[in-house]
Structures are given as C-alpha cells and as structure tokens.
Amino acid sequence: SQTIHQWPATLVQPVGSPLSLECTVEGTSNPNLYWYRQAAGRGLQLLFYSVGIGQISSEVPQNLSASRPQDRQFILSSKKLLLSDSGFYLCAWSGDMARSGRSYEQYFGPGTRLTVT
Amino acid sequence: AQRVTQPEKLLSVFKGAPVELKCNYSYSGSPELFWYVQYSRQRLQLLLRHISRESIKGFTADLNKGETSFHLKKPFAQEEDSAMYYCALSGVNSGGYQKVTFGTGTKLQVIP
C-alpha cells in the first residue's frame, strides 16, 4: 500500500534561517506531488506541484522553493525564513492524470507545523 | 482560472438536524469535484467525489452544473461528523496537468 511521510512534525526556526522540509512517498511510482500551506480561515493554499523529477511548478510567488531530486521525494526549502512563513505545511500525492486522463484523489501527509520566531 | 468558494467558515447544527455545507465553483471546462474531511488530529482525507455518486458516512453531494454547485448534505448530523470540510475542484491547467483547487473550508460543529 502507498504511504506518505513528512518530517519534521514540528519545527521552530528563527527569522533569517534556512528551511528544509521533506516529503517521501512509498508504494507508488511517478506520482504527482504537491506542497500546500494550511492556514485558519484561508484553507489550503497550493504552493508547488510536480509531475516528475526536476519538474516543479510554482503557484504563488513567495520566499519558498521546491525541489524533486528523486521520483518519490519532494523538498520544500527557503534560504531565509520570514515571520510570515509560519504555518502548517502539507505534502500530498496523487496519480498521474496526464497518463490516465482522469483526476485522482490526493493523499495527504501528516503535515509539519513551522513556527518562525 | 478555477475557483472554489465555501461561504461558511463555521456551521453549527444540533445532533439529528440536517446538514448542508455549501460549495460553489468556477471552471470553464468539465470539472471533477471532491469533498475532503479533516477530523481532529487526523490527516486530511477524501470523503467523496462526484463521479462516484456514492454516499459516504451518510453524506451525499450532487454536482449542479447549472448553479455551479457541489453542496454536501446529510439528513441527520452525528457528533462524529464534527470536522473541517474542504471542497476541491480538479481541472486541467494550461500545461495539460491536473490542478486541484481547494476552498477555504467549513468547520462543522455538531452540538449534542
């Protein structure tokens, strides 16, 4: 069966420090991968999505970047964190619609709570 | 552009009362719509999708293309239904890839 992992679960970082959040998927190949930020009252905001290794699309201009060095690994990074980067970050995966022509449900990880101080 | 609107941030109902969580969407093509649910201390997970036309945990949702709505309904609310509910739309972006847009969510609170 497929599983999705995220770490760390919680992180407290000072302003100006770098960030690296990791997401890995097991039990499937060539998944679509997504990074979301979940904020109270603002719902789920799509930050990045990836349809393959090295293929990253950004939805919102910001202080963050994403990379996909391996098929089932998705990393969210920042060189210098801002206070506004605090939030709950979710990674998700889905099947590849481009191959099947149908939309797949998304499977979410447990999330990372980031607090920038 | 695709957009999902959930007008209610919080919906409180008494146990046994009917529930309707509203969702409206904007999309130029043929959309696929989903409802996701997040119970306390659990992961966000799929509740149902319009293509399946199924009832999950007593919830149903009908896609109304004329009104561009996909409201989630349940005739009799249970305490265990208390959770955060997100409506989501899946469409194809300009690059031919699936793009999913979520609404801002509605917190359902069922009062005993």
Side-chain angles (χ1 to χ4, degrees), chain A residues 4 32 34 36 38 41-44 46 49 51 55 59 90 94-95 97-98 102-106 108-110, chain B residues 9 32 34 36 38 43-46 49 51 84 86 90-93 96-105:
Chain A
I4 178 168
N32 286 357
Y34 308 82
Y36 292 90
Q38 187 179 28
R42 297 184 62 184
L44 282 168
L46 178 63
Y49 69 93
V51 299
Q55 301 178 64
E59 285 296 303
L90 285 170
S94 73
M97 179 184 182
R102 55 171 283 238
S103 291
Y104 288 94
E105 70 178 276
Q106 295 192 329
F108 288 84
Chain B
K9 289 187 177 181
E32 291 193 44
F34 305 79
Y36 284 81
Q38 188 170 29
R43 301 186 186 196
L44 189 62
Q45 60 188 290
L46 179 71
R49 57 196 304 169
I51 284 182
M84 192 75 176
Y86 292 94
S90 176
V92 180
N93 69 3
Y97 300 112
Q98 176 184 359
K99 177 180 174 181
V100 181
T101 301
F102 284 81
T104 51

Side-chain angles (χ1 to χ4, degrees), chain A residues 10-76:
Chain A
T10 59
L11 187 62
V12 180
Q13 292 282 93
V15 168
S17 65
L19 172 74
S20 181
L21 303 182
E22 192 161 343
C23 171
T24 58
V25 180
E26 297 176 357
T28 187
S29 59
N30 197 34
N32 286 357
L33 296 171
Y34 308 82
W35 277 111
Y36 292 90
R37 180 161 51 203
Q38 187 179 28
R42 297 184 62 184
L44 282 168
Q45 181 185 34
L46 178 63
L47 303 175
F48 301 94
Y49 69 93
S50 171
V51 299
I53 296 174
Q55 301 178 64
I56 309 294
S57 294
S58 174
E59 285 296 303
V60 182
Q62 59 209 318
N63 185 43
L64 302 169
S65 62
S67 61
R68 184 171 178 173
Q70 300 180 46
D71 181 45
R72 289 169 287 182
Q73 184 184 29
F74 205 24
I75 297 171
L76 184 68

Side-chain angles (χ1 to χ4, degrees), chain B residues 66-81:
Chain B
E67 296 183 356
T68 59
S69 69
F70 188 56
H71 302 327
L72 183 67
K73 300 177 183 180
K74 184 170 182 176
F76 307 103
Q78 302 299 315
E79 289 182 63
E80 55 266 30
D81 296 330

